[in-house]
Amino acid sequence: MRITDTSDLWWKNAVIYCLDVETFFDSDGDGVGDFAGLAQRVDYLAQMGVTCLWLMPFYPSPGRDDGYDITDGYGVDARLGNHGDVVELIRTAKDRGMRVIADFIVNHTSDQHPWFKAARSSKDDPFRDFYVWRADPPPDTSEKVVFPDKEDSIWEHDPTTDEWYLHHFYSHQPDLNVANPKVKEAIAKAMGFWLQVGFDGFRVDAVPFFLNEGGVEQGDLEQPHEYLRAMRTFLSRRSGQAVLLGEVNVPYPEQVAYFGGKEGDELNMMFDFVAMQAMYLSLARQDARPLAKALTERPMAEISPDSQYATFVRNHDELTLDKLTEEERQEVFAAFGPEPEMQVFDRGLKRRLPPMLDGDPRHVKMVYSLLFALPGTPTLFYGEEIGMGEDLSREGRLAVRTPMQWTGGENGGFSTAEPEALVAPVVTGAYGPEHVNVADARRDPDSLLHHITTLAQRYRECPELGWGAVEILDQPHRAVLAHRCTWGEASMVLLHNFSPEPVTVALELDDAEGTVLSDLLQDDDHRVGEDGVEIALQGYGHRWLRVQHPGDRRLP
């Protein structure tokens, strides 16, 4: 395959940036971020190396679940702008070479959605079967509840018709019945609408839940993955380069079906929750082996080469640790979230990375180097590039959904409104805008922002990181992850030290004597000798080494 072919599957080596429009930049001083403000900041994102924007929900909503409880799948929250503002944002982004994808919620609606208001009014209403109902009292389903601090069942009694409706999430978010052809048609129309507006695909929320594979009798799809396959077919028919990026937090063996196996005809991309959680266990232990094990267990031989994993350090939800054992989870809690207010549901953390690592710039930079060096597509959550912290006084996932910090001035430069009018409080303390902001980071050549900008550029220059096969390299240090990504004739060796102690890594490579390993992050070369090569790593050090064989004309 040629390098020029990579654009056909742009998601394989994209740099994705997730943001919430309402907390990014306020252009009109009302305290709420908006599409006009985001459009003004597109050049900042382009300069950083972002190639794909992922927008969190911007649809009309009562706001009881931060926008994931929508009332109109075709609408735009009036606080954020209108359809014209959305089109202008997409035009501006594409003019800078960026694609734009939107969060798309298939599993549920708000209970204030016109469909549900009609559905609960009568058992005979035409919209009744848009949702899943049962007439008999439900059994105990407390173990299936997603938010155990708020709900004790996935069924809610509705007194109007004396029946129960299904909700895997909050009771104000009734689950859609995607087994109903009319619901499928309505979802397809909404997807088609936003594709026509100009979006390049969707991040699909809670995929396993809307496929109803949890043992619920009513509303189950006879062939759940047929619906996901039909969704992908529709998307490809309407827009050949559009992407479906799925939120699928299940073990690796179960992920194969969501990709569509070797046919690759369901989700294009999937977040790698397993590797993310293994990474935090490795960080807590200063032992790279849990992450190395996860990478080797990815079912790459069972999925299409067009499919892709999206890697991430942080996302917009709690930092879930549910795939770790109880003992492993407690290790991570002890290292990075020992206080109860730092934890969520005893299964995750409500923190951002820099405070977890005590602000150590070497440690933080190593982790973000790892993000871009792992095989897959790196995904950033807004504010990560400057090292923002969390607001532990806010409940659950809202702790990391705070206003973007642009300057050291009032409200962090997010808005000119009075602080009490802001959509969310700005972080205070050591990670407040007076200490952490874009303006200062831009002027500091050693800042995390400059580091991540460099990583994004190098990642884009190294298609083997997005396309290549991964190999874990043998070496003597448990604190070091040494892996190699190879795609055709292009190959890279990547080293990351999870320990604060310096080490020298001895590698036995199959490459011919005289092969040069050229460091892409610093001015340093290493020549492979008869006995391999030795490379020094500082504490929390990291190296990106381009493998250059004699006569190789690839740029180092």
Side-chain angles (χ1 to χ4, degrees):
M1 185 179 291
R2 302 165 301 172
I3 299 296
T4 51
D5 292 335
T6 59
S7 61
D8 292 339
L9 301 173
W10 60 267
W11 56 86
K12 293 278 286 186
N13 66 331
V15 176
I16 300 174
Y17 189 95
C18 171
L19 61 87
D20 190 349
V21 176
E22 72 173 8
T23 55
F24 201 62
F25 185 65
D26 171 20
S27 70
D28 58 8
D30 65 353
V32 181
D34 45 51
F35 277 101
L38 173 54
Q40 293 176 28
R41 292 295 188 260
V42 163
D43 281 321
Y44 161 77
L45 299 172
Q47 291 163 7
M48 194 201 312
V50 173
T51 65
C52 177
L53 298 184
W54 156 24
L55 305 183
M56 290 169 63
F58 53 82
Y59 315 101
S61 163
R64 298 184 65 187
D65 187 22
D66 206 27
Y68 283 88
D69 49 331
I70 67 172
T71 57
D72 180 4
Y74 295 94
V76 177
D77 185 333
R79 301 173 307 147
L80 312 182
N82 54 41
H83 287 90
D85 296 316
V86 175
V87 171
E88 185 62 15
L89 178 275
I90 293 173
R91 183 203 65 79
T92 304
K94 292 191 175 183
D95 186 56
R96 275 70 168 177
M98 275 186 263
R99 291 173 168 87
V100 187
I101 64 174
D103 247 313
F104 197 74
I105 297 89
V106 178
N107 182 69
H108 54 262
T109 69
S110 166
D111 61 1
Q112 299 304 303
H113 196 291
W115 294 348
F116 190 69
K117 286 184 175 182
R120 75 192 315 176
S121 68
S122 168
K123 295 179 183 179
D124 299 322
D125 190 90
F127 285 97
R128 184 72 172 182
D129 289 337
F130 269 50
Y131 299 88
V132 182
W133 300 85
R134 64 182 300 151
D136 57 314
D140 179 16
T141 55
S142 56
E143 78 284 354
K144 297 180 181 179
V145 169
V146 176
F147 302 116
D149 63 328
K150 301 294 184 182
E151 307 290 346
D152 56 14
S153 172
I154 62 172
W155 294 97
E156 183 74 7
H157 182 256
D158 189 59
T160 304
T161 58
D162 194 26
E163 288 194 341
W164 287 259
Y165 63 85
L166 180 67
H167 63 91
H168 277 96
F169 293 86
Y170 295 110
S171 59
H172 59 78
Q173 292 171 322
D175 282 13
L176 285 165
N177 176 15
V178 296
N180 183 342
K182 291 182 179 179
V183 173
K184 294 179 187 176
E185 181 182 5
I187 291 169
K189 284 181 177 178
M191 292 181 72
F193 171 79
W194 292 113
L195 290 172
Q196 200 68 27
V197 166
F199 282 100
D200 296 286
F202 305 96
R203 178 264 185 186
V204 188
D205 187 59
V207 176
F209 290 96
F210 75 75
L211 291 191
N212 270 339
E213 293 187 296
V216 176
E217 294 84 3
Q218 294 96 325
D220 277 3
L221 295 166
E222 292 185 8
Q223 297 292 330
H225 285 272
E226 285 297 327
Y227 177 49
L228 197 55
R229 193 170 296 114
M231 187 182 292
R232 169 71 179 276
T233 299
F234 173 82
L235 190 79
S236 299
R237 188 168 67 245
R238 289 293 182 92
S239 177
Q241 289 202 335
V243 67
L244 287 178
L245 169 57
E247 181 190 31
V248 183
N249 183 14
V250 299
Y252 278 140
E254 297 175 34
Q255 293 175 13
V256 175
Y258 290 90
F259 277 126
K262 291 186 177 181
E263 296 298 319
D265 55 359
E266 295 188 33
L267 295 172
N268 303 86
M269 302 180 70
M270 199 182 305
F271 290 108
D272 194 343
F273 284 92
V274 175
M276 179 275 291
Q277 297 180 51
M279 181 195 74
Y280 278 98
L281 182 59
S282 284
L283 290 171
R285 291 178 172 176
Q286 298 182 11
D287 183 345
R289 291 177 297 178
L291 177 56
K293 180 175 182 288
L295 294 175
T296 59
E297 290 177 351
R298 278 182 176 180
M300 304 308 295
E302 301 173 56
I303 63 177
S304 165
D306 293 354
S307 301
Q308 180 68 310
Y309 279 104
T311 56
F312 63 104
V313 170
R314 194 56 181 99
N315 66 9
H316 60 296
D317 286 331
E318 71 268 13
L319 201 160
T320 183
L321 301 170
D322 67 319
K323 294 297 177 287
L324 301 181
T325 67
E326 178 62 27
E327 292 76 15
E328 291 169 341
R329 190 157 50 246
Q330 292 305 319
E331 286 185 67
V332 178
F333 283 160
F336 304 131
E339 303 300 326
E341 64 267 23
M342 298 174 177
Q343 302 171 14
V344 184
F345 312 137
D346 195 36
R347 69 173 183 228
L349 293 165
K350 51 188 280 191
R351 310 197 70 194
R352 283 185 181 255
L353 182 74
M356 284 194 279
L357 303 185
D358 298 323
D360 185 338
R362 300 175 307 155
H363 207 172
V364 173
K365 287 181 178 180
M366 185 278 287
V367 175
Y368 283 103
S369 169
L370 183 64
L371 169 66
F372 282 86
L374 290 175
T377 298
T379 305
L380 291 163
F381 183 51
Y382 77 94
E384 281 191 277
E385 73 275 14
I386 58 172
M388 279 176 58
E390 71 279 343
D391 181 354
L392 291 175
S393 69
R394 303 196 74 202
E395 184 178 4
R397 298 172 296 175
L398 297 179
V400 299
R401 300 179 185 180
T402 58
M404 181 66 178
Q405 297 168 195
W406 296 102
T407 72
E410 188 174 25
N411 300 331
F414 161 71
S415 173
T416 58
E418 293 298 320
E420 59 270 17
L422 300 186
V423 66
V426 176
V427 169
T428 60
Y431 292 90
E434 63 270 29
H435 305 293
V436 177
N437 65 75
V438 172
D440 290 347
R442 278 179 152 174
R443 291 189 288 265
D444 179 3
D446 294 323
S447 70
L448 181 60
L449 176 60
H450 280 276
H451 178 65
I452 286 181
T453 299
T454 298
L455 293 172
Q457 292 170 345
R458 296 295 178 270
Y459 172 82
R460 294 285 291 169
E461 294 167 1
C462 302
E464 55 267 49
L465 296 178
W467 285 77
V470 64
E471 173 191 4
I472 303 299
L473 301 177
D474 289 332
Q475 48 79 39
H477 304 286
R478 60 189 292 176
V480 174
L481 177 68
H483 72 284
R484 184 168 184 169
C485 292
T486 303
W487 178 60
E489 297 179 356
S491 187
M492 289 185 66
V493 171
L494 304 114
L495 306 175
H496 291 83
N497 183 5
F498 285 67
S499 163
E501 302 301 323
V503 295
T504 298
V505 181
L507 298 174
E508 295 183 9
L509 303 177
D510 294 334
D511 303 272
E513 188 173 348
T515 295
V516 174
L517 304 183
S518 295
D519 198 311
L520 302 187
L521 301 180
Q522 61 189 58
D523 187 12
D524 195 12
D525 288 347
H526 302 268
R527 190 171 298 274
V528 176
E530 183 178 350
D531 297 324
V533 64
E534 290 189 347
I535 300 167
L537 281 178
Q538 296 298 318
Y540 302 127
H542 51 275
R543 309 295 285 269
W544 287 33
L545 303 168
R546 161 78 65 209
V547 179
Q548 292 193 289
H549 301 108
D552 190 347
R553 300 178 64 185
R554 282 184 60 84
L555 287 173

